[in-house]
Amino acid sequence: MEDTICAISTPVGVGGISIIRVSGDKSIEIVNSIFKGKNLEEVSSHTINYGHIFYDDENIDEVLVSVMKKPKTFTAEDVVEINLHGGIATTNKVLEILLNNGCRQAMPGEFTKRAFLNGRIDLVEAEAVGDVIAAENENARKLSMNQLTGKLSSLIRKIKKELLELESKIEVNIDYPEYEDLEDMTQSRVGKSLNEIKDVLEKMIEESKIGKIISSGINIAIIGRPNVGKSSLLNAFLGEEKAIVTDIEGTTRDIVEGKLNLNGMTLNFIDTAGIRETEDIVEKIGVDKSLKSIESADLVILVLDGASAISEEERNLMDRLAGKRHIIFINKSDLESSIDIKEARNAVRGNTVFPEGLDELKKKIKELFEIGEMEKKDFTYISNARQLSLIEQVKNNIESAITGIENTVPVDIVVIDIREARRNIDLLLGEVFDEELIDELFDKFCLGK
């Protein structure tokens, strides 16, 4: 990390301003060499300085240059940000000049990677930077900000501290058994502490389901027989003609997707092919995909044609949804109904014709996922697979230690599992890490971040 890096930090295109970020030991020196205004090497840290970028005696652009000196910067290195007029040609020209004057083009996520490697943030906070950028709704933003500001890390560090204290007490008892004033770490006392830690971990794992939904949205599969209004339901939700709607059965043969923001929560809709027995090979592939989508979805909406009686095929689908979070939407409430709502569990009536036709369905979705209660939550959740996998490993280590205690295994053996649990927390926070994994994580970031 001895070289100085630079990258465009704003989307390339026409806009009010563009920002080029520079980080490294020579960042101030390099920018100062092409800047006409105050001497940037003499200005105070965290100041904005007016001037022009000059190169080969040509005035390239009028700019504002922010100078931030280490260590109180994002990367913990000297950082300079050049604010110039938005536009592809000017932005690329200034970037080219920086590269010609000693900077290297930053790799994706390299600024955040440097912040992590320089101890400015831990790995949970670093991942949250990408999540803040990718947040598609208000709740996802709050979740990622809680991680970025260290709230989740603090909770994890508290568990690590408790494990470290427990490990230390056990090892002191083993090494110095002759000291009578030491706290005697009996199997029952160790077991009690481990069970308390296990309870916290189980709560974190359970709440990670909320974190996943907040971060990625609710995946909703719309299923049903052909021509019951599945595609019309998707279009009505999205307010656009996303799916083709005709009176011909089997029009939808593949999955059609769309997104909607409902009270700060992203709904990811999947309109599936109509489920029926068919000899058409292409349609049959679509039907198979529809059935598979039931298993992977967070919520399944089974659409019934309210003007027709429930078929045996639909009753089989209803049975298949038992134990799965689902809503049965009885469509065509604007027509005379042939379905008694009591025939279907967890059912609502509605239609895709009138604006208020989906009100009851939206209300039901909010109730099932407590969307209206999200404002009251603290958003301190694990929200990605890497973090969840390691927390589950920590829990497995603790459970193994508890099993050892229950089987009267000596505490000097049980401490091995406790030590492994602490190591997995270190991996979670990035206090120990595999370089290939770190490279892979930051490669997913955008340039300039």
Side-chain angles (χ1 to χ4, degrees):
M1 296 194 298
E2 294 181 358
D3 50 355
T4 297
I5 58 173
C6 66
I8 301 168
S9 291
T10 47
V12 177
V14 178
I17 62 168
S18 290
I19 299 174
I20 296 177
R21 176 182 284 176
V22 187
S23 181
D25 288 341
K26 294 186 178 181
S27 58
I28 299 174
E29 177 189 333
I30 291 172
V31 176
N32 193 53
S33 70
I34 62 171
F35 178 73
K36 183 169 284 190
K38 290 183 179 179
N39 185 341
L40 299 179
E41 296 187 74
E42 296 179 357
V43 301
S44 300
S45 182
H46 293 77
T47 58
I48 299 175
N49 304 274
Y50 169 78
H52 293 80
I53 297 295
F54 268 80
Y55 191 63
D56 286 342
D57 296 324
E58 179 187 354
N59 187 351
I60 305 299
D61 196 19
E62 183 182 32
V63 298
L64 291 173
V65 176
S66 302
V67 175
M68 294 161 279
K69 298 178 181 179
K70 64 182 181 182
K72 294 184 178 181
T73 68
F74 178 63
T75 61
E77 302 172 336
D78 287 341
V79 173
V80 178
E81 291 185 351
I82 305 172
N83 294 257
L84 51 145
H85 290 99
I88 296 172
T90 302
T91 306
N92 284 340
K93 181 63 178 177
V94 175
L95 180 66
E96 177 190 336
I97 293 168
L98 289 168
L99 295 173
N100 289 337
N101 278 266
C103 286
R104 171 177 64 77
Q105 173 72 58
M107 302 296 288
E110 190 169 358
F111 291 96
T112 308
K113 182 179 179 180
R114 288 190 174 202
F116 164 68
L117 293 175
N118 288 328
R120 172 70 173 73
I121 54 178
D122 64 35
L123 198 51
V124 172
E125 293 165 334
E127 288 175 302
V129 173
D131 292 339
V132 168
I133 296 169
E136 295 183 341
N137 59 63
E138 180 63 8
N139 290 327
R141 182 194 67 78
K142 288 180 180 178
L143 173 66
S144 53
M145 279 305 298
N146 264 11
Q147 294 177 346
L148 181 58
T149 54
K151 199 169 181 181
L152 178 60
S153 295
S154 295
L155 181 60
I156 295 168
R157 288 182 193 282
K158 184 181 177 184
I159 297 171
K160 178 184 173 179
K161 182 181 177 184
E162 290 171 356
L163 288 172
L164 185 58
E165 288 177 354
L166 188 58
E167 182 183 340
S168 299
K169 287 176 181 177
I170 291 172
E171 289 182 342
V172 168
N173 271 254
I174 294 168
D175 294 339
Y176 305 100
E178 67 274 16
Y179 287 95
E180 295 181 359
D181 58 342
L182 287 176
E183 183 181 354
D184 188 15
M185 298 306 292
T186 62
Q187 287 183 321
S188 61
R189 182 166 288 173
V190 173
K192 181 177 181 294
S193 297
L194 290 172
N195 275 293
E196 288 172 354
I197 294 170
K198 178 189 169 188
D199 290 343
V200 174
L201 292 168
E202 286 180 339
K203 185 172 183 286
M204 289 180 71
I205 291 168
E206 181 61 29
E207 289 182 340
S208 71
K209 296 174 185 176
I210 302 172
K212 174 185 172 295
I213 286 173
I214 291 172
S215 178
S216 305
I218 303 169
N219 295 323
I220 302 175
I222 304 172
I223 68 167
R225 290 189 300 110
N227 259 29
V228 293
K230 300 185 301 300
S231 297
S232 296
L233 177 61
L234 175 65
N235 291 341
F237 258 118
L238 302 180
E240 61 175 300
E241 296 298 312
K242 186 80 172 181
I244 299 171
V245 178
T246 73
D247 292 330
I248 303 170
E249 291 189 353
T251 300
T252 302
R253 295 188 170 208
D254 204 349
I255 288 172
V256 181
E257 299 178 345
K259 290 179 181 287
L260 171 73
N261 193 306
L262 180 64
N263 285 59
M265 182 68 73
T266 301
L267 307 185
N268 305 310
F269 287 101
I270 306 166
D271 175 26
T272 64
I275 299 174
R276 65 170 178 173
E277 292 294 329
T278 178
E279 298 301 320
D280 186 306
I281 295 175
V282 176
E283 187 180 356
K284 190 174 186 306
I285 293 171
V287 171
D288 290 340
K289 285 186 178 181
S290 299
L291 294 173
K292 287 179 181 177
S293 71
I294 295 175
E295 305 306 319
S296 60
D298 300 309
L299 172 67
V300 178
I301 298 177
L302 171 59
V303 183
L304 304 180
D305 182 346
S308 305
I310 300 176
S311 69
E312 188 62 32
E313 200 168 34
E314 287 170 329
R315 292 189 188 281
N316 290 336
L317 280 173
M318 289 162 65
D319 290 339
R320 187 168 185 156
L321 294 179
K324 180 80 182 177
R325 191 176 278 173
H326 71 279
I327 301 171
I328 294 173
F329 180 65
I330 303 175
N331 194 18
K332 303 182 183 178
S333 61
D334 52 315
L335 304 177
E336 186 176 345
S337 180
S338 299
I339 297 177
D340 182 351
I341 200 165
K342 294 178 182 177
E343 291 184 77
R345 300 182 302 275
N346 210 29
V348 295
R349 289 191 187 279
N351 63 75
T352 59
V353 179
F354 302 112
E356 65 276 8
L358 302 183
D359 287 351
E360 287 302 312
L361 180 54
K362 289 178 180 178
K363 182 180 176 182
K364 195 73 172 178
I365 294 172
K366 290 178 186 177
E367 288 174 358
L368 281 175
F369 291 90
E370 299 181 336
I371 292 176
E373 300 297 311
M374 284 295 173
E375 294 296 324
K376 301 175 185 177
K377 297 185 181 296
D378 68 359
F379 294 97
T380 311
Y381 306 124
I382 288 170
S383 62
N384 72 44
R386 185 195 74 87
Q387 296 168 7
L388 179 58
S389 173
L390 285 166
I391 282 293
E392 287 177 335
Q393 286 182 51
V394 174
K395 176 174 160 290
N396 291 339
N397 298 143
I398 298 301
E399 286 177 338
S400 177
I402 291 171
T403 300
I405 292 292
E406 290 172 347
N407 293 325
T408 65
V409 172
V411 289
D412 56 335
I413 302 298
V414 170
V415 79
I416 295 172
D417 286 318
I418 297 173
R419 195 176 294 123
E420 184 64 20
R422 184 166 57 82
R423 181 182 176 279
N424 282 321
I425 289 180
D426 286 340
L427 288 169
L428 175 56
L429 295 170
E431 293 180 0
V432 295
F433 57 86
D434 177 88
E435 288 189 13
E436 287 186 7
L437 171 64
I438 295 301
D439 290 342
E440 183 181 341
L441 283 174
F442 289 107
D443 278 348
K444 298 174 183 176
F445 281 56
C446 58
L447 284 167
K449 197 58 185 174

